[in-house]
Amino acid sequence: MDHRSSLSIRKNGRMERRERADAARNRRAILRAAEELLRRHPPEQVSVERVAAAAGVGKGTVFHRFGSRTGLMRALMSERARELEEAVTQGPPPLGPGAAPSERLVAFLEAVAELAARNGNLMAAHEHAVLTSKSEQPREANPIYVFWHRHASGLIAEARPDADAELIAHMLLGTLHMEPVASLLRAGGHERLAASFADLVRGLLKP
Amino acid sequence: MDHRSSLSIRKNGRMERRERADAARNRRAILRAAEELLRRHPPEQVSVERVAAAAGVGKGTVFHRFGSRTGLMRALMSERARELEEAVTQGPPPLGPGAAPSERLVAFLEAVAELAARNGNLMAAHEHAVLTSKSEQPREANPIYVFWHRHASGLIAEARPDADAELIAHMLLGTLHMEPVASLLRAGGHERLAASFADLVRGLLKP
């Protein structure tokens, strides 16, 4: 192997790694900027231009990374949901394995309420899209919802094998999406919702 | 006073009473026919013509009594809600006064689930109207919902003064309106929903 071409390969490798690192950093910066803007503004005011400016990147970079504004919104929701899924399956208790089912479910619903509040405007925008478009899948077929529902119903079934875990999990998770609870979340009231989830869950699952 | 005119007044009185009795009977027949049709068909297939035919009256009579198809739907929902309100305020326990708050709330949510199942297509049609029309008031401002919420939150507060009765009542009642619970109700699964309401309520309110 020629010495110069091997050096050139190493150089190209370094450049590619740097490009990948830049891309990952841009991606994170864009997602953080979009989340921050959505916390403070209704979704129709959060344009790609505005996200790009807040993230310190060009508008083209946002389209290159996420395809479209809808793609960005989906990516943001997926990113948050993935973090929660990791915490639930591998993180420390009470969210992760190792605590009693009732305490795991209380911690999970608290995390879901917090996520819904942080991304309230985003969820509202997503709900609106689902309601007004026939092509969108219903909420209960969404992979994020499927995971949330399976986790919640599993914990209910573990502590209360006699209860209708499947239905009760739908009932608990459904409260997030409905008025006036959704307005409460958008107004930052997720701790109030988490406290009532805890009352319902501890009552249902206490031995 | 002239004998004949007094007789004529009595005759007119009898005729007016008979007309009022006919009108009330027609009204009941129309409401029963509409309810029966809505139980078996999607609301867009329940036309005024069809209701009139099933009730054995003319189409004009339906319009005369209810103003419009929407007026008929509203009247039907109000009628069912009024019957439930009477049972709650003056009927026998556990729905009416005299039972423990938890048993009254279990009975109330069972009745609400049954009403929602009987009028599921109607509620779906109403929800759709609310979601697609800006002029409709939100569900939580509807007088029926206001009564239901006040009753449920009052019972929760009575048994659990430390709980967030207002929010929990919204959470419980909200489950009726959301997928996949709404589909379950339309498919006749109100007993399954009532059983899960009972599990949640007894857990929350047990001493």
Side-chain angles (χ1 to χ4, degrees):
Chain A
M1 191 187 257
D2 177 277
H3 187 67
R4 277 186 317 183
S5 90
S6 152
L7 189 70
S8 147
I9 287 165
R10 281 211 303 274
K11 256 189 183 164
N12 283 345
R14 262 206 307 273
M15 280 176 68
E16 277 165 22
R17 276 199 301 278
R18 190 185 304 157
E19 270 168 28
R20 280 201 300 275
D22 284 353
R25 197 167 46 237
N26 277 347
R27 192 185 147 83
R28 277 197 304 275
I30 293 165
L31 289 171
R32 291 292 169 280
E35 186 176 59
E36 183 58 31
L37 286 167
L38 281 166
R39 200 179 319 189
R40 292 180 293 123
H41 305 282
E44 64 272 17
Q45 287 177 19
V46 180
S47 62
V48 167
E49 287 82 352
R50 212 167 164 185
V51 171
V57 302
K59 188 177 151 183
T61 304
V62 178
F63 283 114
H64 181 64
R65 291 287 149 225
F66 299 99
S68 66
R69 185 176 172 283
T70 306
L72 169 61
M73 297 292 170
R74 271 184 217 281
L76 185 55
M77 195 67 203
S78 299
E79 178 80 4
R80 300 291 157 270
R82 194 190 51 71
E83 289 167 6
L84 178 56
E85 189 166 335
E86 263 183 36
V88 159
T89 51
Q90 306 161 39
L95 202 48
S102 71
E103 291 318 299
R104 288 194 73 194
L105 187 54
V106 166
F108 175 65
L109 291 172
E110 187 182 341
V112 164
E114 208 263 330
L115 190 153
R118 270 205 299 172
N119 294 298
N121 285 326
L122 176 60
M123 287 177 89
H126 183 69
E127 286 298 294
H128 186 73
V130 170
L131 284 166
T132 54
S133 146
K134 292 277 177 201
S135 65
E136 278 277 354
Q137 56 188 356
R139 174 166 58 239
E140 60 272 23
N142 178 304
I144 299 174
Y145 188 85
V146 169
F147 174 79
W148 291 4
H149 180 262
R150 194 167 47 217
H151 182 59
S153 60
L155 292 171
I156 294 168
E158 198 181 329
R160 278 284 306 269
D162 61 309
D164 191 342
E166 195 201 329
L167 178 58
I168 294 173
H170 280 311
M171 292 165 78
L172 291 172
L173 289 171
T175 60
L176 294 165
H177 296 276
M178 137 223 122
E179 296 299 339
V181 175
S183 312
L184 174 71
L185 283 176
R186 283 194 294 278
H190 63 272
E191 289 179 8
R192 196 177 152 196
L193 179 62
S196 289
F197 271 145
D199 276 341
L200 285 167
V201 167
R202 292 201 178 108
L204 181 74
L205 302 189
K206 83 179 132 190
Chain B
M1 193 188 258
D2 178 276
H3 188 67
R4 278 184 317 181
S5 91
S6 152
L7 189 69
S8 144
I9 286 166
R10 282 209 302 275
K11 256 189 184 165
N12 283 342
R14 263 204 307 273
M15 280 177 67
E16 276 165 20
R17 276 198 302 277
R18 189 184 305 156
E19 271 168 27
R20 278 201 301 273
D22 285 352
R25 197 166 47 236
N26 277 346
R27 192 185 148 84
R28 277 196 305 275
I30 294 165
L31 288 173
R32 291 291 168 280
E35 187 175 58
E36 184 57 31
L37 287 168
L38 281 167
R39 201 181 317 191
R40 292 179 293 122
H41 305 282
E44 63 273 16
Q45 288 177 19
V46 180
S47 62
V48 167
E49 287 82 352
R50 212 167 164 184
V51 172
V57 303
K59 188 178 151 184
T61 305
V62 178
F63 283 114
H64 181 64
R65 291 286 150 227
F66 299 98
S68 66
R69 185 175 172 284
T70 306
L72 169 60
M73 297 293 171
R74 271 183 217 283
L76 185 54
M77 194 68 203
S78 298
E79 179 78 5
R80 299 293 157 267
R82 194 190 50 72
E83 287 167 8
L84 177 57
E85 188 166 336
E86 262 182 37
V88 159
T89 52
Q90 304 161 39
L95 203 48
S102 70
E103 291 319 298
R104 289 195 71 195
L105 186 53
V106 166
F108 174 65
L109 291 172
E110 187 182 342
V112 165
E114 207 263 329
L115 190 154
R118 270 204 301 170
N119 294 299
N121 286 327
L122 176 61
M123 286 176 89
H126 183 69
E127 286 298 294
H128 186 73
V130 170
L131 284 167
T132 53
S133 145
K134 293 277 178 200
S135 65
E136 277 278 352
Q137 55 189 357
R139 174 166 59 239
E140 61 272 23
N142 178 303
I144 299 173
Y145 188 84
V146 168
F147 175 78
W148 290 4
H149 180 263
R150 194 167 46 217
H151 182 58
S153 61
L155 292 171
I156 295 167
E158 199 181 328
R160 278 283 306 269
D162 60 311
D164 191 340
E166 195 200 327
L167 178 58
I168 293 172
H170 280 310
M171 292 165 78
L172 292 171
L173 289 171
T175 61
L176 295 165
H177 296 278
M178 137 220 123
E179 296 301 337
V181 175
S183 313
L184 174 72
L185 284 175
R186 284 195 294 277
H190 62 273
E191 288 177 10
R192 195 177 153 198
L193 178 62
S196 289
F197 271 145
D199 276 341
L200 284 167
V201 166
R202 291 201 178 108
L204 181 74
L205 302 189
K206 85 179 130 189

